[in-house]
mmCIF file of all heavy atoms in Angstrom:
data_model
loop_
_atom_site.group_PDB
_atom_site.id
_atom_site.type_symbol
_atom_site.label_atom_id
_atom_site.label_comp_id
_atom_site.label_asym_id
_atom_site.label_seq_id
_atom_site.Cartn_x
_atom_site.Cartn_y
_atom_site.Cartn_z
ATOM 1 N N TYR A 416 54.745 118.013 -45.564
ATOM 2 C CA TYR A 416 53.484 117.604 -45.102
ATOM 3 C C TYR A 416 53.519 116.239 -44.562
ATOM 4 O O TYR A 416 54.046 115.273 -45.157
ATOM 5 C CB TYR A 416 52.373 117.665 -46.193
ATOM 6 C CG TYR A 416 51.080 117.098 -45.703
ATOM 7 C CD1 TYR A 416 50.279 117.697 -44.738
ATOM 8 C CD2 TYR A 416 50.635 115.825 -46.211
ATOM 9 C CE1 TYR A 416 49.060 117.107 -44.293
ATOM 10 C CE2 TYR A 416 49.466 115.337 -45.767
ATOM 11 C CZ TYR A 416 48.699 115.939 -44.780
ATOM 12 O OH TYR A 416 47.607 115.355 -44.310
ATOM 13 N N ASP A 417 52.939 116.017 -43.335
ATOM 14 C CA ASP A 417 52.867 114.681 -42.709
ATOM 15 C C ASP A 417 51.496 114.673 -42.002
ATOM 16 O O ASP A 417 51.202 115.628 -41.287
ATOM 17 C CB ASP A 417 53.951 114.354 -41.692
ATOM 18 C CG ASP A 417 53.929 112.986 -41.170
ATOM 19 O OD1 ASP A 417 52.988 112.667 -40.399
ATOM 20 O OD2 ASP A 417 54.788 112.189 -41.565
ATOM 21 N N PRO A 418 50.667 113.624 -42.165
ATOM 22 C CA PRO A 418 49.311 113.693 -41.511
ATOM 23 C C PRO A 418 49.318 113.632 -39.989
ATOM 24 O O PRO A 418 48.440 114.102 -39.337
ATOM 25 C CB PRO A 418 48.656 112.422 -42.088
ATOM 26 C CG PRO A 418 49.743 111.528 -42.665
ATOM 27 C CD PRO A 418 50.833 112.531 -43.082
ATOM 28 N N VAL A 419 50.450 113.208 -39.402
ATOM 29 C CA VAL A 419 50.478 113.084 -37.936
ATOM 30 C C VAL A 419 51.697 113.621 -37.211
ATOM 31 O O VAL A 419 51.682 114.220 -36.166
ATOM 32 C CB VAL A 419 50.300 111.538 -37.550
ATOM 33 C CG1 VAL A 419 50.630 111.311 -36.096
ATOM 34 C CG2 VAL A 419 48.893 111.055 -37.880
ATOM 35 N N ALA A 420 52.873 113.489 -37.957
ATOM 36 C CA ALA A 420 54.219 113.766 -37.270
ATOM 37 C C ALA A 420 54.737 115.180 -37.349
ATOM 38 O O ALA A 420 55.850 115.406 -36.995
ATOM 39 C CB ALA A 420 55.208 112.741 -37.710
ATOM 40 N N GLN A 421 53.855 116.096 -37.884
ATOM 41 C CA GLN A 421 54.373 117.425 -38.188
ATOM 42 C C GLN A 421 54.935 118.170 -36.993
ATOM 43 O O GLN A 421 56.078 118.701 -36.984
ATOM 44 C CB GLN A 421 53.302 118.233 -38.784
ATOM 45 C CG GLN A 421 53.787 119.223 -39.787
ATOM 46 C CD GLN A 421 52.985 119.146 -41.112
ATOM 47 O OE1 GLN A 421 53.255 118.313 -41.886
ATOM 48 N NE2 GLN A 421 52.129 120.018 -41.258
ATOM 49 N N GLU A 422 54.217 118.076 -35.874
ATOM 50 C CA GLU A 422 54.726 118.803 -34.617
ATOM 51 C C GLU A 422 55.940 118.161 -34.108
ATOM 52 O O GLU A 422 56.797 118.897 -33.636
ATOM 53 C CB GLU A 422 53.524 118.815 -33.593
ATOM 54 C CG GLU A 422 52.379 119.732 -34.002
ATOM 55 C CD GLU A 422 52.865 121.105 -34.594
ATOM 56 O OE1 GLU A 422 53.670 121.834 -33.941
ATOM 57 O OE2 GLU A 422 52.377 121.409 -35.734
ATOM 58 N N GLU A 423 56.034 116.843 -34.072
ATOM 59 C CA GLU A 423 57.241 116.212 -33.558
ATOM 60 C C GLU A 423 58.438 116.658 -34.469
ATOM 61 O O GLU A 423 59.491 116.881 -33.977
ATOM 62 C CB GLU A 423 57.117 114.684 -33.649
ATOM 63 C CG GLU A 423 56.273 114.133 -32.549
ATOM 64 C CD GLU A 423 56.708 114.466 -31.177
ATOM 65 O OE1 GLU A 423 57.927 114.268 -30.861
ATOM 66 O OE2 GLU A 423 55.897 114.979 -30.345
ATOM 67 N N ALA A 424 58.248 116.643 -35.829
ATOM 68 C CA ALA A 424 59.358 116.978 -36.738
ATOM 69 C C ALA A 424 59.714 118.441 -36.517
ATOM 70 O O ALA A 424 60.870 118.809 -36.597
ATOM 71 C CB ALA A 424 58.856 116.770 -38.179
ATOM 72 N N ARG A 425 58.712 119.366 -36.296
ATOM 73 C CA ARG A 425 59.003 120.821 -36.101
ATOM 74 C C ARG A 425 59.964 120.973 -35.024
ATOM 75 O O ARG A 425 60.801 121.850 -35.062
ATOM 76 C CB ARG A 425 57.671 121.543 -35.920
ATOM 77 C CG ARG A 425 57.841 123.038 -36.057
ATOM 78 C CD ARG A 425 56.613 123.745 -35.446
ATOM 79 N NE ARG A 425 55.412 123.608 -36.292
ATOM 80 C CZ ARG A 425 54.965 124.496 -37.081
ATOM 81 N NH1 ARG A 425 55.698 125.675 -37.252
ATOM 82 N NH2 ARG A 425 53.801 124.298 -37.720
ATOM 83 N N LYS A 426 59.911 120.238 -33.866
ATOM 84 C CA LYS A 426 60.783 120.326 -32.777
ATOM 85 C C LYS A 426 62.192 120.182 -33.176
ATOM 86 O O LYS A 426 63.097 120.759 -32.523
ATOM 87 C CB LYS A 426 60.427 119.274 -31.774
ATOM 88 C CG LYS A 426 59.075 119.518 -30.997
ATOM 89 C CD LYS A 426 58.831 118.468 -29.966
ATOM 90 C CE LYS A 426 57.453 118.424 -29.529
ATOM 91 N NZ LYS A 426 57.034 117.169 -28.909
ATOM 92 N N ILE A 427 62.446 119.429 -34.215
ATOM 93 C CA ILE A 427 63.869 119.156 -34.621
ATOM 94 C C ILE A 427 64.281 120.004 -35.888
ATOM 95 O O ILE A 427 65.347 120.611 -35.914
ATOM 96 C CB ILE A 427 64.098 117.682 -34.933
ATOM 97 C CG1 ILE A 427 63.830 116.868 -33.611
ATOM 98 C CG2 ILE A 427 65.490 117.361 -35.495
ATOM 99 C CD1 ILE A 427 63.583 115.458 -33.782
ATOM 100 N N LEU A 428 63.346 120.077 -36.843
ATOM 101 C CA LEU A 428 63.647 120.864 -38.091
ATOM 102 C C LEU A 428 63.515 122.306 -37.841
ATOM 103 O O LEU A 428 64.140 123.048 -38.607
ATOM 104 C CB LEU A 428 62.655 120.367 -39.143
ATOM 105 C CG LEU A 428 62.833 118.908 -39.699
ATOM 106 C CD1 LEU A 428 61.716 118.572 -40.672
ATOM 107 C CD2 LEU A 428 64.167 118.680 -40.285
ATOM 108 N N GLY A 429 62.704 122.679 -36.876
ATOM 109 C CA GLY A 429 62.597 124.145 -36.532
ATOM 110 C C GLY A 429 61.856 124.816 -37.618
ATOM 111 O O GLY A 429 61.085 124.296 -38.423
ATOM 112 N N GLU A 430 61.983 126.299 -37.737
ATOM 113 C CA GLU A 430 61.278 127.026 -38.617
ATOM 114 C C GLU A 430 62.048 126.996 -39.976
ATOM 115 O O GLU A 430 62.703 126.001 -40.126
ATOM 116 C CB GLU A 430 61.022 128.433 -38.126
ATOM 117 C CG GLU A 430 60.213 128.382 -36.802
ATOM 118 C CD GLU A 430 58.875 127.545 -36.846
ATOM 119 O OE1 GLU A 430 58.242 127.586 -37.897
ATOM 120 O OE2 GLU A 430 58.523 126.833 -35.861
ATOM 121 N N GLY A 431 61.960 127.908 -40.821
ATOM 122 C CA GLY A 431 62.743 127.845 -42.124
ATOM 123 C C GLY A 431 62.264 126.732 -43.013
ATOM 124 O O GLY A 431 62.955 126.465 -44.002
ATOM 125 N N VAL A 432 61.230 126.105 -42.654
ATOM 126 C CA VAL A 432 60.543 125.031 -43.489
ATOM 127 C C VAL A 432 59.111 125.450 -43.531
ATOM 128 O O VAL A 432 58.628 125.882 -42.523
ATOM 129 C CB VAL A 432 60.783 123.655 -42.879
ATOM 130 C CG1 VAL A 432 59.971 122.553 -43.489
ATOM 131 C CG2 VAL A 432 62.216 123.254 -42.739
ATOM 132 N N THR A 433 58.461 125.183 -44.671
ATOM 133 C CA THR A 433 57.049 125.533 -44.703
ATOM 134 C C THR A 433 56.190 124.283 -44.373
ATOM 135 O O THR A 433 56.179 123.262 -45.063
ATOM 136 C CB THR A 433 56.595 125.976 -46.093
ATOM 137 O OG1 THR A 433 57.552 127.072 -46.488
ATOM 138 C CG2 THR A 433 55.197 126.513 -46.122
ATOM 139 N N TYR A 434 55.476 124.355 -43.245
ATOM 140 C CA TYR A 434 54.716 123.208 -42.779
ATOM 141 C C TYR A 434 53.300 123.343 -43.341
ATOM 142 O O TYR A 434 52.650 124.345 -43.092
ATOM 143 C CB TYR A 434 54.652 123.167 -41.204
ATOM 144 C CG TYR A 434 56.024 122.912 -40.613
ATOM 145 C CD1 TYR A 434 56.877 123.959 -40.328
ATOM 146 C CD2 TYR A 434 56.442 121.577 -40.429
ATOM 147 C CE1 TYR A 434 58.117 123.682 -39.787
ATOM 148 C CE2 TYR A 434 57.735 121.384 -39.838
ATOM 149 C CZ TYR A 434 58.591 122.448 -39.561
ATOM 150 O OH TYR A 434 59.771 122.152 -39.115
ATOM 151 N N CYS A 435 52.820 122.404 -44.112
ATOM 152 C CA CYS A 435 51.550 122.594 -44.810
ATOM 153 C C CYS A 435 50.496 121.703 -44.121
ATOM 154 O O CYS A 435 50.788 120.644 -43.492
ATOM 155 C CB CYS A 435 51.728 122.114 -46.319
ATOM 156 S SG CYS A 435 53.019 123.067 -47.101
ATOM 157 N N SER A 436 49.223 122.158 -44.264
ATOM 158 C CA SER A 436 48.222 121.414 -43.533
ATOM 159 C C SER A 436 47.436 120.430 -44.412
ATOM 160 O O SER A 436 46.548 119.758 -43.945
ATOM 161 C CB SER A 436 47.179 122.399 -42.950
ATOM 162 O OG SER A 436 46.799 123.221 -43.932
ATOM 163 N N SER A 437 47.819 120.261 -45.743
ATOM 164 C CA SER A 437 47.256 119.273 -46.552
ATOM 165 C C SER A 437 48.112 118.874 -47.693
ATOM 166 O O SER A 437 49.059 119.614 -47.998
ATOM 167 C CB SER A 437 45.881 119.773 -47.107
ATOM 168 O OG SER A 437 46.127 120.793 -48.068
ATOM 169 N N ILE A 438 47.808 117.791 -48.313
ATOM 170 C CA ILE A 438 48.634 117.333 -49.448
ATOM 171 C C ILE A 438 48.479 118.402 -50.554
ATOM 172 O O ILE A 438 49.549 118.804 -51.131
ATOM 173 C CB ILE A 438 48.011 116.059 -50.046
ATOM 174 C CG1 ILE A 438 48.265 114.899 -49.009
ATOM 175 C CG2 ILE A 438 48.645 115.703 -51.416
ATOM 176 C CD1 ILE A 438 47.971 113.491 -49.665
ATOM 177 N N THR A 439 47.285 118.913 -50.812
ATOM 178 C CA THR A 439 47.112 119.903 -51.846
ATOM 179 C C THR A 439 47.876 121.065 -51.582
ATOM 180 O O THR A 439 48.601 121.639 -52.495
ATOM 181 C CB THR A 439 45.635 120.176 -52.009
ATOM 182 O OG1 THR A 439 44.928 119.009 -52.044
ATOM 183 C CG2 THR A 439 45.311 120.985 -53.320
ATOM 184 N N GLU A 440 47.831 121.650 -50.383
ATOM 185 C CA GLU A 440 48.561 122.890 -50.083
ATOM 186 C C GLU A 440 50.062 122.687 -50.262
ATOM 187 O O GLU A 440 50.797 123.525 -50.789
ATOM 188 C CB GLU A 440 48.275 123.293 -48.714
ATOM 189 C CG GLU A 440 48.899 124.654 -48.196
ATOM 190 C CD GLU A 440 48.885 124.842 -46.702
ATOM 191 O OE1 GLU A 440 48.031 124.247 -46.046
ATOM 192 O OE2 GLU A 440 49.803 125.529 -46.281
#
Side-chain angles (χ1 to χ4, degrees):
Y416 171 69
D417 186 290
V419 168
Q421 212 131 283
E422 289 317 307
E423 284 302 309
R425 192 195 287 263
K426 289 179 197 162
I427 297 162
L428 294 173
E430 298 312 320
V432 171
T433 309
Y434 297 89
C435 303
S436 54
S437 69
I438 293 193
T439 312
E440 187 194 332

